[in-house]
Amino acid sequence: MMAINIWIMMLVTSLIWLIRRHHVSALAAKAEAQYELGKMYAFGEGVSPSPSESLRWQLLAAKKRYVPSLLEMARLYFNGEGVTTDRVEGWMFLTLASQFATPRERPSVSAAMNKYSGRMKASDRDEAQKRAEKWIEVNPLQQ
């Protein structure tokens, strides 16, 4: 019984360290850490679930052109999770992900675009493209 309690304490200590590390990295403007912190808030992993905090961290990483966050933002808008469902906004984030994806990230972007393309009209795609161009203009890349 004592060994289990020690193991649980070590696990909790490790989890607290991990959360603090992600917070420190996220506050230091590291996109990957911001993305991971957003996922932690989305699923309540080591923190209280908070859709608004999740969205905030995902958006910060997306503004750094971090493709996993751009894909997550698209998913949130298509599914209306923590935001009002907006297919055009979702496709805008997919358009941005497609534009900034590395060769390694392209299959994930293509899969997401294939998944959601049936929900889009040509006029919606055109509007999403315009929004993506405006988004880039309004959100210049900051390292």
Side-chain angles (χ1 to χ4, degrees), residues 12-71:
V12 169
T13 302
S14 295
L15 185 58
I16 290 169
W17 176 83
L18 182 64
I19 292 166
R20 285 185 181 152
R21 188 185 89 188
H22 279 308
H23 268 283
V24 168
S25 294
L27 292 172
K30 294 186 179 180
E32 183 177 4
Q34 291 171 334
Y35 167 77
E36 291 297 335
L37 196 55
K39 296 295 272 189
M40 291 172 75
Y41 276 109
F43 297 110
E45 295 174 353
V47 295
S48 296
S50 174
S52 61
E53 276 298 297
S54 175
L55 189 65
R56 179 173 85 94
W57 289 109
Q58 292 300 345
L59 188 56
L60 285 170
K63 287 180 178 182
K64 292 176 181 63
R65 313 319 194 237
Y66 190 63
V67 172
S69 285
L70 292 166
L71 292 173

